[in-house]
Amino acid sequence: MATKQREPVTIISLQRLSLETPEPQPKESKTFTVEDAVETIGFGRFHIALFLIMGSTGVAEAMEIMLIAVVSPVIRCEWQLENWQVALVTTMVFFGYMVFSILFGLLADRYGRWKILLISFLWGAYFSLLTSFSPSYIWFVFLRTMVGCGVSGHAQGLILETVLKPMGRPVSPQVFWLAGSLLIIGLASVVIPTIGWRWLIRIASIPGIILILAFKFIPESARFNVSTGNTQAALATLEHIAKMNRSVMPEGKLVEPILEKRGRFADLLDAKYLRTTLQIWVIWLGISFAYYGVILASAELLERDLVCGSRSESAVAVTVGDTEGSQSPCHCRMFAPSDYQTMIISTVGEIALNPFNILGINFLGRRLSLSITMGCTALFFLLLNICTSSAGLTGFLFVLRALVAANFNTIYIYTAEVYPTTMRALGMGTSGSLCRIGAMVAPFISQVLMSASFLGALCLFSSVCIICAISASTLPIETKGRALQQIK
């Protein structure tokens, strides 16, 4: 049987290539940061409520601080005080403010802004009420110093508002400060001539007590919670904001690095922020010196008739002391209705430049805007020496109050924006504390030196403003359009 012949088969040996198909990887889950969530949620009803409640802290603070200016003539007459004793009251208020600003800043960076804000309002309201029962000048000074300690924590309200708002929505603390200033002057014009200065202090403490009850509607800063590792609390806050705004949260999981080191004073003097910090301190000190200098000078000009064209015939001189040879002249003159009117008109000036100030910081930038308004402040301090009528004096004071208010508004916003979350509260607290040195010196210039040398006092105020204008124009960091920084 014939065997069927097969065709030869060529076998080619192929080398097996190691081309293994990679195993399917799980799809990465989406993540978002607090900054992403705040921008996605957008501006809405929550931010309006936050603006009103936190802004109202400025009303309470202004009433407590400005109260000294309207009460000074009364306590001068009641306790027969000399110029330096009247100035010492304001100085001690700001001394308490200075010391506790740093302390509250440190505590806020460690334990949260909301808790410190609540404590500061409880403290301030308590000692403010006690002040109305002061039996003597010494007790009055001590209790007002304690009020200054409590008021120093109110700056945490601005920080809460700043970190919970979308970028490009500037806060305007000066509007509420204006409201508080006008309210205390208006109340003083009615209350002091009728039921006395003690009842004015009691009435002035009411806004702070009301705000204590309103704080339960305000959450802790989401940025603070997430930076301490408490992401659940931060997420709850963001969801609450989204619900109130009728908006939606971004998709994914909230992630942020846990920051172990917080609120260290050395960070403010780190190489990255050293120059910025030092210049900010100079500007805060100078602005505070000029701002409270204008306020106290306004009251002094009206009470003591230092400007040639605004003199009245209602000034009365009394003497202090009973012992022969120890008597010293003590000026005692109560504010007339026209004086309160001048104070109200000049105080309204604090909002006059507000729209232009907001446009300036958003279009020209924080640095250039601040340097312009500081330069103009220096000029109008010198113009205040012009011999003018009562109406002219009111006009100069109006413009000056507008300029110094714009300065404060800009530096508040800049300081809150330039520092990262880890040191924001400390930066604000330290700046606010050191600036009180200027506020502590201002009473002795406005209420003591001004009586001896009117032009000398004005030149001193003007020189400080020029230094601040130069410092503002050379700040190394511009925060216009820059997102808030999370870490150093």
Side-chain angles (χ1 to χ4, degrees):
M1 182 176 176
T3 304
K4 187 176 180 181
Q5 188 176 1
R6 295 183 179 180
E7 294 181 0
V9 178
T10 303
I11 301 175
I12 301 176
S13 177
L14 299 177
Q15 184 179 5
R16 187 176 179 180
L17 300 178
S18 179
L19 296 175
E20 298 180 357
T21 305
E23 295 181 3
Q25 297 290 332
K27 190 175 182 180
E28 291 186 5
S29 57
K30 293 183 178 180
T31 60
F32 64 90
T33 63
V34 173
E35 184 75 27
D36 297 331
V38 169
E39 296 300 325
T40 300
I41 294 170
F43 190 85
R45 293 189 300 173
F46 170 82
H47 296 96
I48 295 174
L50 180 70
F51 177 75
L52 294 175
I53 295 175
M54 292 296 96
S56 296
T57 64
V59 174
E61 181 177 354
M63 292 183 70
E64 294 292 358
I65 297 297
M66 291 292 295
L67 183 138
I68 299 300
V70 294
V71 168
S72 291
V74 190
I75 63 172
R76 185 199 296 269
C77 293
E78 180 169 327
W79 289 317
Q80 296 185 330
L81 305 178
E82 296 187 63
N83 291 338
W84 70 268
Q85 291 175 304
V86 177
L88 183 63
V89 177
T90 307
T91 296
M92 291 306 296
V93 169
F94 288 117
F95 175 76
Y97 198 120
M98 179 185 68
V99 173
F100 271 69
S101 283
I102 296 178
L103 178 61
F104 281 149
L106 288 168
L107 293 176
D109 276 330
R110 290 186 177 274
Y111 302 107
R113 288 80 163 104
W114 188 91
K115 295 175 184 176
I116 298 305
L117 188 60
L118 179 62
I119 290 172
S120 72
F121 267 90
L122 289 170
W123 182 305
Y126 175 72
F127 283 103
S128 182
L129 286 173
L130 285 184
T131 304
S132 66
F133 299 98
S134 300
S136 65
Y137 167 74
I138 298 299
W139 271 107
F140 184 85
V141 173
F142 170 74
L143 293 173
R144 291 314 295 181
T145 302
M146 292 297 101
V147 173
C149 294
V151 168
S152 66
H154 293 188
Q156 302 306 320
L158 175 67
I159 295 176
L160 267 176
E161 185 182 355
T162 300
V163 300
L164 290 175
K165 70 178 179 66
M167 193 175 66
R169 295 277 182 170
V171 295
S172 186
Q174 210 61 40
V175 174
F176 294 95
W177 181 276
L178 169 68
S181 300
L182 291 175
L183 184 57
I184 195 64
I185 296 172
L187 286 171
S189 66
V190 176
V191 175
I192 290 180
T194 54
I195 56 180
W197 63 270
R198 296 179 186 272
W199 275 103
L200 176 65
I201 295 178
R202 293 163 191 159
I203 295 172
S205 65
I206 293 176
I209 296 173
I210 295 174
L211 279 171
I212 292 172
L213 303 176
F215 283 163
K216 66 179 181 179
F217 298 105
I218 300 301
E220 178 58 87
S221 165
R223 285 189 175 93
F224 170 81
N225 280 329
V226 81
S227 66
T228 56
N230 193 356
T231 54
Q232 288 300 114
L235 189 60
T237 295
L238 294 171
E239 290 173 346
H240 171 69
I241 298 173
K243 183 178 180 181
M244 280 196 66
N245 286 3
R246 296 178 181 176
S247 184
V248 293
M249 289 278 291
E251 297 181 1
K253 179 182 178 182
L254 176 61
V255 293
E256 287 286 348
I258 298 177
L259 306 173
E260 297 179 356
K261 296 182 179 180
R262 306 186 46 77
R264 299 185 307 165
F265 183 79
D267 291 339
L268 295 175
L269 302 178
D270 183 79
K272 182 178 180 181
Y273 290 102
L274 176 60
R275 181 181 161 190
T276 300
T277 297
L278 293 178
Q279 289 186 230
I280 283 178
W281 287 352
V282 170
I283 295 170
W284 270 88
L285 191 151
I287 290 177
S288 180
F289 176 69
Y291 182 82
Y292 292 104
V294 172
I295 292 174
L296 296 173
S298 301
E300 201 70 10
L301 288 171
L302 296 172
E303 183 187 352
R304 300 178 66 83
D305 300 321
L306 295 179
V307 177
C308 61
S310 64
R311 296 185 182 277
S312 66
E313 299 178 357
S314 58
V316 178
V318 300
T319 57
V320 180
D322 302 314
T323 307
E324 185 178 353
S326 64
Q327 293 184 343
S328 60
C330 173
H331 187 90
C332 178
R333 176 182 179 271
M334 303 294 289
F335 282 142
S338 59
D339 296 329
Y340 286 115
Q341 183 180 2
T342 299
M343 292 182 71
I344 290 174
I345 293 173
S346 62
T347 302
V348 171
E350 292 200 10
I351 202 174
L353 288 181
N354 216 45
F356 300 102
N357 184 225
I358 293 175
L359 289 174
I361 62 179
N362 282 304
F363 289 98
L364 299 178
R366 279 62 164 156
R367 295 179 300 185
L368 180 57
S369 178
L370 182 57
S371 62
I372 291 174
T373 54
M374 285 302 305
C376 293
T377 304
L379 173 62
F380 271 87
F381 261 118
L382 294 178
L383 292 178
L384 197 61
N385 188 54
I386 296 176
C387 186
T388 183
S389 64
S390 179
L393 172 63
T394 302
F396 282 133
L397 292 176
F398 180 91
V399 176
L400 259 178
R401 291 292 288 270
L403 290 168
V404 293
N407 297 333
F408 245 134
N409 194 34
T410 305
I411 196 62
Y412 255 112
I413 294 172
Y414 180 84
T415 308
E417 292 176 338
V418 75
Y419 292 116
T421 297
T422 52
M423 47 196 286
R424 184 171 295 122
L426 180 60
M428 287 289 294
T430 306
S431 300
S433 175
L434 292 177
C435 89
R436 302 307 160 185
I437 297 176
M440 290 167 62
V441 176
F444 287 93
I445 305 302
S446 296
Q447 296 175 313
V448 181
L449 177 61
M450 189 168 283
S451 298
S453 175
F454 187 64
L455 179 59
L458 295 181
C459 288
L460 181 58
F461 282 123
S462 181
S463 300
V464 171
C465 290
I466 292 173
I467 293 173
C468 291
I470 296 172
S471 183
S473 64
T474 57
L475 281 167
I477 301 174
E478 174 59 72
T479 62
K480 172 191 169 185
R482 190 183 77 155
L484 291 176
Q485 307 297 297
Q486 299 301 307
I487 57 176
K488 193 179 82 166

